[in-house]
């Protein structure tokens, strides 16, 4: 075997060592300055100007390590590496949260969302693929911790070799940081060159715990503050006596579905066509916008906000809310003498929250009689659900007035397959949807083309809206009132990361007196809200609705 001279081996080791050191320095630098909202940067700016930053945390760490003796420096470098590794993992999670949900990760409240993410991946790419992604995430976190600790320790060992040069660099860069910070200098909007992002992330993580504890106390007081709780039964919703009311939530039906010209055409056309057909039947609508507490997911937060009249934007508030006796829109209808039912095809397990909402009957994925194939995440098509709304409740003879909350799920990610509308008498038990599902494009293939994803999303919203409006055309009578709304905007892959949290809402009725009650709201005539239509926080709707339709007395 040929042996290389010792000088050559030393030269190779020296080059290899320099490469490892450079990579370690780059890894630490990126961990300190990388913004957690990289998907909000203008295209082409990220790898250039966005990384031209001076991290104060790095300068302070170098100054500290430089003055410590060897043993203390080694221990301190290890601790700093572990801490920076933890912050880097949190920053990576933040990047993912901003990309999907347009908000940062809450280290106290958001852990349960990983389970929802895993379930979504299972529905989209199969259980094997979901396990692979989860395992990759865990491995990435572990590698980040180990690599960061190694990198900081390696760099700390080099500091004593050139103390004068290191001190001069620290002093110069510190002066530059102070100057840039005072000036607020930015090369990319929103990203200061004088960086302290690691410090900000650490501070926000630590402060999340007392902040969430204080929020829990404040929310407990908000739950008890309810003017409608003691309203007499004969006054509550008295203007809707004898009516049947459907509250229809359309999954991911956001403002962009109506206003974004990149993909809104199928939705706008469906709303226009549906409105014309409804008007031919004597129905009319008014429309506005609500701001949802969530974005890209977390439908239960929107549902609880809308029905309870409280702002529920995190899991802590949700859990606390459903443990109370807060008056919801559902329970208000029940108190007023309506039969209250929920059609929840997305519920596949025990759902004790139904008792909190005040449903007298809940139809879930197990009790809706569906024998057809699943449609990715959605357990059954929306038109099938609406047919069961008719068969199970509205078609009953000599029944009480109904309040039905219907959650439609065909427009849930991954937006494939989306069925076509069928004649109402051909739906049967759902087996008719087999060929549609078998011929549909897979989620993996769909998501390889961003433009096709947007079009698939719009098509799914058009189908969900059509399912509701066609049901009204087919079965609606003089006493029907429909409240149609979205729960939240779709994920950022469709609407980007700078979109609003707004969702459309419409009220449809044949009796003109129903719409006369909300004439002062300023909503747009028809089913398509104008760009300047009133915009309310979603939690305000309950009180406005109860006030409009409980005209015989003021809240006590």
């Amino acid at each position: 075997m040929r042996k290389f001279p010792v000088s050559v081996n030393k030269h190779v080791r020296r080059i290899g060592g320099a490469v490892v050191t450079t990579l370690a320095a780059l890894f630490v630098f990126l961990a300190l300055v990388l913004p957690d909202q990289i998907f909000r940067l203008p295209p082409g700016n990220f790898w250039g100007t966005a990384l031209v930053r001076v991290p104060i945390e790095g300068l302070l760490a170098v100054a500290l390590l430089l003055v410590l003796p060897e043993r203390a420096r080694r221990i301190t470098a290890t601790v700093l590496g572990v801490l920076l590794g933890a912050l880097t993992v949190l920053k990576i999670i933040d990047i993912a949260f901003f990309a999907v949900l347009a908000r940062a990760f809450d280290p106290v409240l958001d852990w349960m969302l990983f389970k929802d993410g895993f379930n979504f991946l299972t529905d989209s790419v199969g259980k094997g693929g979901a396990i692979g992604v989860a395992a990759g995430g865990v491995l990435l976190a572990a590698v980040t911790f180990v690599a960061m600790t190694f990198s900081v320790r390696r760099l700390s060992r080099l500091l004593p070799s050139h103390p004068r040069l290191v001190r001069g660099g620290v002093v110069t860069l510190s002066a530059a940081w102070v100057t840039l910070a005072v000036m607020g200098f930015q090369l990319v909007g929103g990203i200061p060159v004088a960086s302290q992002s690691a410090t900000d992330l650490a501070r926000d993580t630590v402060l999340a715990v007392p902040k969430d504890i204080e929020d829990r106390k404040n929310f407990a007081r908000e739950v008890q503050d309810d003017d409608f709780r003691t309203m007499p039964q004969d006054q509550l919703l008295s203007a809707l006596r004898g009516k049947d009311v459907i509250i229809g939530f359309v999954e991911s039906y956001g403002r962009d579905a109506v206003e974004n010209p990149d993909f809104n055409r199928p939705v706008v056309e469906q709303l226009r066509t549906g409105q014309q057909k409804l008007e031919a039947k004597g129905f009319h609508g008014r429309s506005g916008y609500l701001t949802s507490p969530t974005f890209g997911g977390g439908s239960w937060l929107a549902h609880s906000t809308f029905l309870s009249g409280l702002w529920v934007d995190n899991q802590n508030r949700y859990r606390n809310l459903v443990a109370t006796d807060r008056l919801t829109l559902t329970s208000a209808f029940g108190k007023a003498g309506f039969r209250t039912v929920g059609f929840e095809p997305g519920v596949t397990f025990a759902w004790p929250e139904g008792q909190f909402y005040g449903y007298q009957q809940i139809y879930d994925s197990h009790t809706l009689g569906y024998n057809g194939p699943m449609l990715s995440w959605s357990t059954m098509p929306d038109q099938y659900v609406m047919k069961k709304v008719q068969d199970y409740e509205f078609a009953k003879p000599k029944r009480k007035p109904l309040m039905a909350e219907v959650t439609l799920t065909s427009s849930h990610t991954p937006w494939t397959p989306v069925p076509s509308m069928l004649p109402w008498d051909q739906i049967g038990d759902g087996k008719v949807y087999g060929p549609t599902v078998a011929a549909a494009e897979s989620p993996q293939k769909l998501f390889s083309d961003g433009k096709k994803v947007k079009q698939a999303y719009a098509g799914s919203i058009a189908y969900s809206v059509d399912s509701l409006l066609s049901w009204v055309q087919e079965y609606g009578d003089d006493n029907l009132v429909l409240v149609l709304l979205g729960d939240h905007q779709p994920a950022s892959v469709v609407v980007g990361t700078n979109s609003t949290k707004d969702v459309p809402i419409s009220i449809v009725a044949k009796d003109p007196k129903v719409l006369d009650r909300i004439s002062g709201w300023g909503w747009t005539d028809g089913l398509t809200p104008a760009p300047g239509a009133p915009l309310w926080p979603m939690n305000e709707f309950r009180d406005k609705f109860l006030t409009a339709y409980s005209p015989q007395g003021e809240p006590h």
Side-chain angles (χ1 to χ4, degrees):
M1 180 181 293
R2 182 179 179 183
K3 293 185 179 181
F4 291 97
V6 174
S7 59
V8 173
N9 288 333
K10 287 183 177 180
H11 183 64
V12 171
R13 285 197 298 270
R14 189 179 301 115
I15 294 176
V19 170
V20 172
T21 300
T22 301
L23 291 176
L26 179 63
F27 188 40
V28 171
F29 176 75
L30 289 175
L32 290 171
V33 304
L34 192 70
D36 58 7
Q37 300 185 49
I38 59 175
F39 296 107
R40 295 192 176 191
L41 294 175
N45 283 339
F46 171 54
W47 292 113
T49 55
L51 293 182
V52 180
R53 309 185 73 190
V54 181
I56 188 61
E57 303 89 352
L59 298 176
L60 294 175
V62 170
L64 173 63
L65 293 172
L66 191 61
V67 301
L68 291 175
E70 181 180 353
R71 186 170 182 275
R73 183 170 61 250
R74 187 168 59 250
I75 295 173
T76 303
T78 301
V79 172
L80 291 176
V82 171
L83 290 175
L84 185 56
L87 288 175
T88 303
V89 171
L90 280 174
K91 186 174 287 189
I92 292 172
I93 297 174
D94 266 356
I95 290 172
F97 265 64
F98 274 112
V100 177
L101 301 177
R103 66 173 177 85
F105 170 71
D106 188 315
V108 179
L109 305 176
D110 284 341
W111 293 105
M112 71 158 293
L113 295 181
F114 288 103
K115 179 181 179 181
D116 295 319
F118 180 83
N119 292 336
F120 166 68
L121 285 172
T122 300
D123 295 329
S124 301
V125 300
K127 191 168 185 179
I131 292 175
V133 172
V138 173
L139 180 61
L140 175 62
V143 169
T144 299
F145 271 103
V146 173
M148 190 61 69
T149 303
F150 168 81
S151 297
V152 175
R153 284 174 57 94
R154 182 176 184 86
L155 295 174
S156 70
R157 290 197 298 267
L158 299 177
L159 296 179
S161 303
H162 308 282
R164 190 172 298 176
L165 178 63
V166 173
R167 282 195 213 95
V170 169
V171 171
T172 301
L173 290 175
S174 296
W177 187 92
V178 171
T179 302
L180 293 168
V182 170
M183 294 172 58
F185 187 74
Q186 300 175 2
L187 289 177
V188 178
I191 301 180
V193 175
S195 170
Q196 57 183 48
S197 60
T199 300
D200 291 340
L201 179 59
R203 180 200 62 214
D204 293 343
T205 302
V206 171
L207 292 180
V209 176
K211 179 182 176 182
D212 290 332
I213 293 174
E214 182 63 23
D215 182 68
R216 177 180 297 184
K217 294 178 181 178
N218 293 336
F219 188 67
R221 290 191 293 268
E222 293 174 22
V223 170
Q224 299 304 316
D225 184 15
D226 187 359
D227 291 336
F228 289 93
R229 186 171 185 173
T230 57
M231 175 172 277
Q233 180 177 344
D234 63 343
Q235 296 177 11
L236 192 62
L237 293 167
S238 58
L240 291 176
R241 296 292 162 83
K243 303 297 184 186
D244 293 316
V245 179
I246 291 182
I247 295 178
F249 280 99
V250 175
E251 168 69 35
S252 300
Y253 179 31
R255 185 168 190 149
D256 278 59
V258 175
E259 294 186 351
N260 193 320
D262 290 342
F263 53 82
N264 69 338
R265 184 175 178 180
V267 180
V268 172
E269 290 182 350
Q270 183 57 60
L271 289 171
R272 184 185 303 114
T273 301
Q275 178 178 324
Q276 291 171 350
K277 291 180 178 179
L278 287 177
E279 289 177 349
K281 294 278 188 176
F283 288 92
H284 297 276
R286 300 268 177 83
S287 302
Y289 284 111
L290 303 176
T291 299
S292 175
T294 186
F295 180 100
S299 301
W300 62 94
L301 301 179
H303 289 208
S304 57
T305 294
F306 182 82
L307 295 173
S308 73
L310 295 170
W311 191 252
V312 185
D313 61 348
N314 61 63
Q315 190 63 19
N316 191 36
R317 285 191 162 218
Y318 178 78
R319 287 197 301 263
N320 291 334
L321 172 65
V322 298
T324 71
D325 61 352
R326 172 79 175 186
L327 182 75
T328 65
L329 276 180
T330 312
S331 56
F333 274 99
K335 184 178 177 181
F338 290 71
R339 172 168 166 78
T340 56
V341 297
F343 286 82
E344 308 294 340
V347 173
T348 58
F349 46 83
W351 193 52
E353 292 95 324
Q355 183 176 358
F356 158 74
Y357 285 117
Y359 297 115
Q360 298 165 14
Q361 174 79 50
I362 296 175
Y363 300 97
D364 62 14
S365 61
H366 303 293
T367 57
L368 282 168
Y370 183 69
N371 291 313
M374 285 188 62
L375 293 85
S376 295
W377 187 93
S378 182
T379 58
M380 61 193 73
D382 291 342
Q383 189 186 10
Y384 177 89
V385 175
M386 293 309 302
K387 185 63 168 66
K388 294 308 165 184
V389 170
Q390 178 65 24
D391 294 346
Y392 287 3
E393 290 291 342
F394 279 81
K396 288 180 179 179
K398 298 181 180 180
R399 58 173 174 78
K400 295 170 61 176
L402 280 167
M403 182 273 174
E405 191 268 294
V406 184
T407 301
L408 300 180
T409 61
S410 293
S411 51
H412 194 287
T413 51
W415 307 305
T416 181
V418 176
S420 301
M421 293 293 292
L422 301 173
W424 288 95
D425 59 356
Q426 294 183 16
I427 293 175
D429 66 355
K431 292 178 182 176
V432 68
Y433 294 104
T436 298
V437 174
E441 187 174 32
S442 69
Q444 298 94 313
K445 185 175 181 180
L446 174 66
F447 273 74
S448 66
D449 186 330
K451 185 176 181 180
K452 288 178 66 176
V453 169
K454 295 179 180 180
Q455 294 302 319
Y457 160 74
S460 73
I461 295 295
Y463 167 76
S464 294
V465 169
D466 195 12
S467 296
L468 264 174
L469 300 184
S470 293
W471 182 91
V472 175
Q473 297 160 28
E474 183 74 15
Y475 299 108
D477 60 19
D478 293 352
N479 292 320
L480 180 67
V481 178
L482 170 67
V483 181
L484 163 64
L485 75 154
D487 49 10
H488 54 70
Q489 289 264 45
S492 298
V493 66
V494 173
V495 298
T497 55
N498 293 313
S499 182
T500 70
K501 291 185 177 181
D502 303 343
V503 299
I505 180 170
S506 302
I507 294 181
V508 176
K510 181 175 284 190
D511 185 350
K513 294 179 181 178
V514 173
L515 297 183
D516 287 345
R517 293 285 180 186
I518 63 170
S519 59
W521 289 4
W523 282 15
T524 305
D525 288 338
L527 301 180
T528 306
L535 172 64
W536 306 332
M538 186 175 280
N539 60 304
E540 291 186 4
F541 181 83
R542 189 207 71 155
D543 285 7
K544 290 180 181 293
F545 187 87
L546 292 178
T547 299
Y549 294 108
S550 305
Q552 296 180 14
E554 294 300 322
H556 292 269

